[in-house]
Amino acid sequence: MPDPRRADLLMRYQRAQAQFTDRVDAVEPGEWDAPALPEWSVVDLVAHLTGEQLWVPLLLAGESPDDIGPRVPTDPAELLGEDPLSAWESAADAALTAWAADDALSRTVRLSSGPAPASDYLIEMTVDLTVHAWDLARAVDGDTELDPELVAEAFRYAEEHLGEDGVPGVFDALVEVPPGADLQTRLLARFGRRA
């Protein structure tokens, strides 16, 4: 019998990928150098997510970060080439295919932080894609309205796993929001973003 949790996790991941793809597709030629995050331009952000997708098949195959790091480029020009959208889509498709393997979610992956259940890593990647879709849209004055179900799942994850001090070098501390703020604003605040 199919595992409904597995199907739900894969569906949310695929929707998060699609949401990010829509934002990449909306970037105009002159917007790639626009600031997206501190010290990151739009091209840096898209390259970061593209690289993350390229790691997935290798991690699920049991490789370690030390093995993968030298083989997956970090330079945006190498990762994205002349067609960032196609590079992103190709990496995203490869990652989704790897996640869809029958036993993928029952595996353990070796991350830089140590071994982790693959299902937990998939949830983290879905949250990451969701928050970064907003970062990308905001950087180019695009559609910043996120999928409400993805927002709710990401907020649940943040409430369970993130402290109020943020993660140094990754995201800022919790931002205060006004009473009655909507869930998307509260999610972004958990990741140090001001909506």
Side-chain angles (χ1 to χ4, degrees):
M1 173 181 283
D3 178 358
R5 181 172 182 269
R6 175 182 180 273
D8 287 346
L9 291 176
L10 287 172
M11 179 194 68
R12 282 196 289 272
Y13 176 70
Q14 188 172 22
R15 283 170 51 190
Q17 281 188 324
Q19 181 172 248
F20 191 78
T21 300
D22 290 345
R23 273 58 178 189
V24 176
D25 192 32
V27 177
E28 298 292 340
E31 295 176 325
W32 289 99
D33 291 328
L37 289 165
E39 301 182 24
W40 272 9
S41 65
V42 167
V43 74
D44 294 326
L45 176 59
V46 174
H48 166 71
L49 271 294
T50 301
E52 280 192 346
Q53 305 301 303
L54 292 173
W55 278 62
V56 169
L58 304 173
L59 288 169
L60 288 174
E63 296 193 43
S64 74
D66 289 342
D67 296 331
I68 299 168
R71 293 174 23 226
V72 176
T74 56
D75 178 73
E78 281 186 73
L79 279 166
L80 303 179
E82 296 297 314
D83 188 352
L85 177 60
S86 291
W88 155 256
E89 288 180 324
S90 176
D93 287 348
L96 184 59
T97 298
W99 281 119
D102 286 342
D103 66 341
L105 296 187
S106 63
R107 299 177 194 172
T108 297
V109 291
R110 292 187 282 171
L111 305 176
S112 55
S113 57
S119 57
D120 290 355
Y121 180 49
L122 177 59
I123 293 167
E124 287 178 24
M125 289 194 71
T126 303
V127 171
D128 197 45
L129 282 164
T130 301
V131 174
H132 281 320
W134 182 87
D135 292 328
L136 180 54
R138 184 173 189 227
V140 298
D141 294 321
D143 180 8
T144 57
E145 190 69 29
L146 299 174
D147 179 315
E149 184 180 341
L150 294 177
V151 166
E153 290 298 323
F155 186 75
R156 255 192 299 279
Y157 173 87
E159 289 287 283
E160 292 173 6
H161 295 93
L162 303 183
E164 294 187 359
D165 297 331
V167 177
V170 180
F171 55 87
D172 293 336
L174 171 71
V175 172
E176 292 296 323
V177 295
D182 64 41
L183 192 59
Q184 178 172 310
T185 300
R186 292 164 54 209
L187 167 66
L188 296 168
R190 291 290 314 190
F191 285 88
R193 272 76 166 171
R194 295 182 187 279

